Amino acid sequence: MRSNAMSEDLRALSRRLRPALIAFFTRRLRDPALAEDLTQDLFCRLAANPARDSANPEAYVFQIAANLVRDHYRRETVRGRYRRIAELADDREIDRIDAERTLSGRENVGRVAAVLNTLPERTRNIFILYRLEGMQRKPIADAFGISVSAVEKHIASAMRLLLEELGMPQ
């Protein structure tokens, strides 16, 4: 019974305030279709949260409307920034990251890690220090107590195995 009375109150409020709300949104957003959408959204919010008893329901409704306009402008600001970034990426021919590319990259990293795990420990450590950590050959040679030539052989061995296992031409 109580729910039925609230839905009647909401219908009455909608009949009374809908034209004013549409005008409110249209004035601020200059888009009648968006004004309709936001008015509908406002009444959906009121229906979902009927516990509000207000001495001045009109003021409460228009406060929600003002918040919806603010939220709309915030979203549009973020979308505008994203569009500008996307346009910059297009202008510079930067590839966009998508889910398929991310998954493919993760799979490739997994395959490389699996191949690296098959290497002898010393060769793996030298390769990681050189290729992933960016360490120079001489400091690696000093750290392992071997010649620079030996470091180069370990790196070449690891590269050969990686290329072979990943099916890349050598």
Side-chain angles (χ1 to χ4, degrees), residues 13 17 21 24-25 28 38 42 45-46 52 54 56-71 74:
L13 191 64
L17 295 181
L21 284 166
F24 175 87
F25 287 127
R28 282 157 182 78
L38 289 178
L42 184 143
R45 287 180 187 212
L46 286 174
R52 294 278 187 188
S54 177
N56 188 351
E58 290 84 4
Y60 177 65
V61 167
F62 279 95
Q63 182 60 54
I64 294 172
N67 291 341
L68 287 172
V69 169
R70 246 187 316 279
D71 291 346
R74 278 190 207 119

Side-chain angles (χ1 to χ4, degrees), residues 1-15 43 46-51:
M1 185 71 138
R2 172 102 173 108
S3 172
N4 205 12
M6 279 205 274
S7 64
E8 274 305 313
D9 290 345
L10 190 58
R11 280 189 200 105
L13 191 64
S14 174
R15 280 190 300 272
F43 283 107
L46 286 174
N49 189 11

Side-chain angles (χ1 to χ4, degrees), residues 87-94:
E87 288 168 2
L88 269 175
D90 289 343
D91 290 346
R92 295 182 182 163
E93 296 182 14
I94 297 171

Side-chain angles (χ1 to χ4, degrees), residues 36-164:
E36 269 298 331
D37 290 346
L38 289 178
T39 301
Q40 185 64 32
D41 187 29
L42 184 143
F43 283 107
C44 287
R45 287 180 187 212
L46 286 174
N49 189 11
R52 294 278 187 188
D53 288 327
S54 177
N56 188 351
E58 290 84 4
Y60 177 65
V61 167
F62 279 95
Q63 182 60 54
I64 294 172
N67 291 341
L68 287 172
V69 169
R70 246 187 316 279
D71 291 346
H72 171 76
Y73 279 122
R74 278 190 207 119
R75 276 191 306 276
E76 286 304 308
T77 299
V78 169
R79 287 178 184 146
R81 286 182 191 147
Y82 176 76
R83 279 191 290 272
R84 284 191 297 280
I85 290 169
E87 288 168 2
L88 269 175
D90 289 343
D91 290 346
R92 295 182 182 163
E93 296 182 14
I94 297 171
D95 290 337
R96 292 188 183 161
I97 296 175
D98 59 11
E100 182 179 342
R101 204 166 137 213
T102 301
L103 179 61
S104 174
R106 286 183 181 162
E107 288 172 351
N108 288 339
V109 168
R111 288 174 43 207
V112 167
V115 171
L116 288 177
N117 285 330
T118 67
L119 292 171
E121 185 177 357
R122 178 177 253 191
T123 302
R124 179 177 55 244
N125 289 337
I126 289 171
F127 181 78
I128 288 171
L129 288 172
Y130 180 72
R131 294 299 291 184
L132 301 178
E133 299 296 329
M135 223 170 140
Q136 297 296 314
R137 292 181 197 120
K138 176 72 172 129
I140 294 172
D142 293 343
F144 283 90
I146 59 177
S147 69
V148 173
S149 174
V151 169
E152 290 171 349
K153 288 177 184 170
H154 281 285
I155 293 167
S157 170
M159 283 300 296
R160 230 182 343 273
L161 184 62
L162 274 170
L163 292 172
E164 181 181 301

